[in-house]
DNA sequence: ACACAATGTTAGATATACATAACAGGTGCA
DNA sequence: TGCACCTGTTATGTATATCTAACATTGTGT
């Protein structure tokens, strides 16, 4: 899974820490998400997308093979 | 969380069992999802949405309060 | 009424998302 | 140089999504 979290954070000028607080998770969780190191719950994905002013499918990108 | 899984299943005429097989999970998992009894992983949400010919945000609906 | 398919529920086991804490490397700025 | 901030990593613990199996209920057709 790839994400545009870092890119969107840069665009809105917020840090991992700030995103974490707004989303209600720990900063480490954001680090792992940004690096695609795990597969978030749908609710968390929604929160991140909304906080970044975007949608789930724009923020979290799966390759076809990953879904098969 | 509410979902349109049942509605979209009806539209395409597939059973819980068939959806489960196509998505690669157990039927009980589909039952729980349909009833909003748990919060799926993003990857599972993607698979369900794609199998139903739709998108995550159309299939899984969160109320504002749930996200806050 | 009977048979069978579809759906619902429950209990226990396993995997993993996420929390927590602690530390390390990098960058910019005084 | 030094400090403060941002980012990355690792280890351990907890909560919960998902699996598995078994049984109950509801619906549908004949």
């Amino acid at each position: 899974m790839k994400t545009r979290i870092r890119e969107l954070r840069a665009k809105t000028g917020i840090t991992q820490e700030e995103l974490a607080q707004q989303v209600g998770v720990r900063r480490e969780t954001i680090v792992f998400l940004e690096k695609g190191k795990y597969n978030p719950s749908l609710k968390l994905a929604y929160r991140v997308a909304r906080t970044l002013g975007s949608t789930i499918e724009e923020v979290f990108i799966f390759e076809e093979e990953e879904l098969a």
Side-chain angles (χ1 to χ4, degrees), chain A:
Chain A
M1 185 194 61
K2 291 185 179 178
T3 87
R4 294 207 181 120
I5 297 177
R6 177 172 292 259
E7 171 191 345
L8 292 168
R9 265 202 313 111
K11 201 169 288 181
T12 57
I14 70 177
T15 73
Q16 291 177 342
E17 180 74 43
E18 288 165 338
L19 177 58
Q21 284 175 6
Q22 291 181 42
V23 164
V25 295
R26 295 222 122 214
R27 185 180 57 83
E28 296 88 334
T29 300
I30 301 297
V31 173
F32 288 142
L33 275 187
E34 267 191 30
K35 308 214 134 192
K37 285 206 178 174
Y38 57 56
N39 182 231
S41 71
L42 183 58
K43 186 187 284 189
L44 176 54
Y46 254 107
R47 286 204 190 113
V48 169
R50 290 290 135 81
T51 302
L52 292 172
S54 188
T55 64
I56 290 184
E57 310 221 7
E58 282 173 348
V59 176
F60 300 92
I61 298 132
F62 283 88
E63 312 289 341
E64 291 305 320
E65 329 118 43
E66 293 180 270
L67 293 177

